[in-house]
Amino acid sequence: MELAEVNGLKKITAALSALLMFGICALAAEFSDTQGHWAQYTIDRLYRMGIVDGMEDSKFYPDGIVTRAQYLKMIMELEGLDTVVQRKGECLDAPDGCWYGPYLQSALDKGLIPEQMIASYKAVIIEEEGRAVYSGAFNGDLPVTREEMAVLTQNVYQYCITYETVGNLLKAAELNFEDKDEISPWALQCVKLTVAEGFMEGMNGNVFDPKATATRAQAATIMGRIIDKLNGE
């Protein structure tokens, strides 16, 4: 088996654990609150693949919020990124032993989170160890915005690119959204790239709505599109 195939299988296998962030097992693939929803097909498809699931009441809540920490965990697991042990005093505002600490610590070590997503950001370089210790607040319980989701998606996706697949990267798209000037400058390039890759697209009225709270349906849609990309579809 080719190395690229092994990497792809690893990512898809890791994606199966992403269902934990969507709740407890639902009783049926067709959730009562997704009938007629624009993301119904994708949600049902990912449910059958074992990648997403419902909540305690057998609903999916497609328009419910996704927090920063939840989305970081989802996208890292989807791409098969390993976590690291949370180091005391080096994981921003994540309490010791919190569920998302290993994901946040790993993301910080890999440089996946831009400083603009860290309140009161500060980095101290430890020269003898060749690394930086960050301080500030990630605020993992805040709802993730669409532009933040684009940044996390693209940063993790590009980090996982191998030399076999780097040629598949597309050039940044020229945006024609009516509200493109509302996209934060630090997020703009990632938005262009996620749009070019087909992971995200505009909303009704030809807007991107960068500051809007991202939903569970939108997160599921991105995951489905990444899986298609990894499968060469």
Side-chain angles (χ1 to χ4, degrees):
M1 182 178 289
E2 296 291 336
L3 178 58
E5 293 180 76
V6 173
N7 288 339
L9 288 172
K10 179 181 177 182
K11 292 177 181 180
I12 297 301
T13 300
L16 299 181
S17 60
L19 64 88
L20 295 176
M21 227 49 266
F22 277 104
I24 300 173
C25 290
L27 300 178
E30 295 183 352
F31 304 103
S32 60
D33 60 346
T34 60
Q35 300 300 307
H37 192 276
W38 62 266
Q40 179 183 351
Y41 171 80
T42 297
I43 293 169
D44 285 349
R45 172 195 174 208
L46 293 181
Y47 172 86
R48 295 186 182 96
M49 293 175 68
I51 295 174
V52 303
D53 221 319
M55 307 297 279
E56 294 94 334
D57 55 1
S58 301
K59 294 182 179 180
F60 185 79
Y61 294 98
D63 298 319
I65 67 167
V66 178
T67 68
R68 286 173 154 198
Q70 288 173 339
Y71 191 72
L72 179 66
K73 180 180 187 291
M74 280 188 256
I75 196 66
M76 287 180 66
E77 288 191 340
L78 186 75
E79 294 279 3
L81 274 186
D82 294 331
T83 60
V84 299
V85 176
Q86 181 178 351
R87 299 189 296 275
K88 188 173 183 178
E90 295 186 30
C91 205
L92 304 181
D93 56 333
D96 292 341
C98 78
W99 65 266
Y100 67 88
Y103 297 90
L104 180 56
Q105 188 74 73
S106 180
L108 290 171
D109 290 350
K110 294 174 174 62
L112 302 177
I113 301 175
E115 63 181 81
Q116 292 85 352
M117 287 185 65
I118 301 174
S120 302
Y121 171 87
K122 184 178 180 181
V124 176
I125 306 299
I126 304 177
E127 294 184 0
E128 60 271 22
E129 298 182 21
R131 64 187 182 91
V133 174
Y134 304 94
S135 62
F138 177 60
N139 292 313
D141 293 331
L142 287 180
V144 68
T145 66
R146 283 175 50 79
E147 66 179 8
E148 290 170 347
M149 192 161 62
V151 170
L152 293 177
T153 298
Q154 196 63 30
N155 284 354
V156 172
Y157 179 71
Q158 288 193 337
Y159 183 87
C160 293
I161 289 294
T162 67
Y163 68 87
E164 292 94 350
T165 58
V166 67
N168 295 334
L169 282 175
L170 301 177
K171 293 182 179 179
E174 289 301 323
L175 304 179
N176 61 359
F177 302 122
E178 293 183 5
D179 61 345
K180 63 182 180 180
D181 292 338
E182 298 176 19
I183 300 171
S184 299
W186 59 269
L188 182 59
Q189 184 67 5
C190 283
V191 171
K192 289 181 176 180
L193 289 167
T194 53
V195 170
E197 295 288 355
F199 299 151
M200 297 183 72
E201 57 188 24
M203 309 286 282
N204 291 334
N206 192 34
V207 297
F208 187 77
D209 213 359
K211 306 300 191 294
T213 298
T215 68
R216 285 163 56 83
Q218 291 171 350
T221 298
I222 290 175
M223 288 194 290
R225 290 170 177 169
I226 291 176
I227 288 173
D228 288 342
K229 182 82 171 182
L230 294 174
N231 285 335
E233 298 179 14

